[in-house]
Amino acid sequence: MGPGMRRVAPGGMGWSLALSGLLAGGVAAAPPQPVDPPPLPAIEGECVVLLHGLGRTHRSMAPLEAALREAGYATANIDYPSQSQTIEASAREAVPRGVGECRRKGAHTIHFVTHSMGGLLLRQYLSTGRIEGLGRTVMLGPPNQGSEVADALVGTALYDHFNGPAGAQLVTGANGITARLGPVAFPLGVIAGNEATAIDSVLATRIPGENDGKVAVESARVEGMADFLVLPVNHTFMMANEVVAGQALHFLRHGAFLHELPQAERP
């Protein structure tokens, strides 16, 4: 880290103000009192498809959707039955539906923001097809190399009941779906977490190295990605974290995460 630089840390209104200024193309100024920044103007022709993870619904992506809309993007927050069908079936249904919603809103560029298994839906879809006008993608906590939690629990009655056929596909190694998806060939930024909730703390002990309670930091990586960022967030609630939202917006705008903030731009 060079002189006059500091690492980005989560939390606090100061970060939101600083990042809002950077996204607007200028330097964030320090107001006398903390205030919410005004909404940015609409971004013509660009739409973001949001895909939730296993066992969740579109409601889990609502905080991110709100941040994207405030930043000017049209959105398509897609719900799909993640626990009752395979990843392939979900990909065939959910991805085209999201693209279709964006097209109806006049989008010529379609971005994606996904959580957990939602990222695998996009990878699976693009392994056999293409999306005209595909823009950038941000994946949050994706099991791009599978999940050691699935390795430990697949075959148990509780895991199989709640996670269905897709849960069995999340194992690491040759039997998992990720083993055949290959490198990505689209602009991708990955955000991994390295904290776990109290509920996930037991599962975290089954995962080697840093992890978010469900996915190892190293398992979130995938060959071909454009950028990678680790933040102190957990798997379950990272979608509601303001720094995660800010970094996702920064990648969609610039194709890279904001790894350091210059001292002069500190709010």
Side-chain angles (χ1 to χ4, degrees), residues 84-233:
S84 62
Q85 58 190 18
T86 64
I87 292 172
E88 293 90 340
S90 291
R92 286 193 300 269
E93 186 269 333
V95 175
R97 184 152 50 91
V99 171
E101 285 193 23
C102 283
R103 298 281 188 227
R104 287 190 290 275
K105 294 177 179 180
H108 55 69
T109 301
I110 299 177
H111 308 287
F112 283 79
V113 175
T114 68
H115 175 234
S116 193
M117 192 183 80
L120 300 187
L121 267 63
L122 181 60
R123 288 182 64 194
Q124 166 60 35
Y125 184 86
L126 291 174
S127 71
T128 59
R130 65 188 301 270
I131 298 171
E132 189 70 31
L134 178 63
R136 294 169 176 149
T137 295
V138 177
M139 294 183 181
L140 311 178
N144 276 322
Q145 307 300 326
S147 172
E148 288 82 3
V149 170
D151 292 344
L153 298 181
V154 71
T156 63
L158 198 61
Y159 181 89
D160 291 352
H161 173 74
F162 282 104
N163 295 299
Q169 294 180 285
L170 296 179
V171 295
T172 64
N175 292 328
I177 190 172
T178 61
R180 59 176 177 76
L181 290 181
V184 299
F186 53 91
L188 170 64
V190 174
I191 298 178
N194 62 3
E195 291 188 352
T197 64
I199 293 175
D200 287 337
S201 59
V202 174
L203 290 176
T205 63
R206 296 174 176 262
I207 305 173
E210 287 189 303
N211 64 83
D212 63 7
K214 298 285 178 61
V215 177
V217 167
E218 290 304 309
S219 292
R221 297 179 182 273
V222 62
E223 186 180 350
M225 62 184 178
D227 204 353
F228 186 79
L229 184 66
V230 181
L231 293 175
V233 293

Side-chain angles (χ1 to χ4, degrees), residues 229-244:
L229 184 66
V230 181
L231 293 175
V233 293
N234 62 69
H235 192 85
T236 304
F237 300 114
M238 65 170 62
M239 310 85 72
N241 183 278
E242 67 173 9
V243 176
V244 169

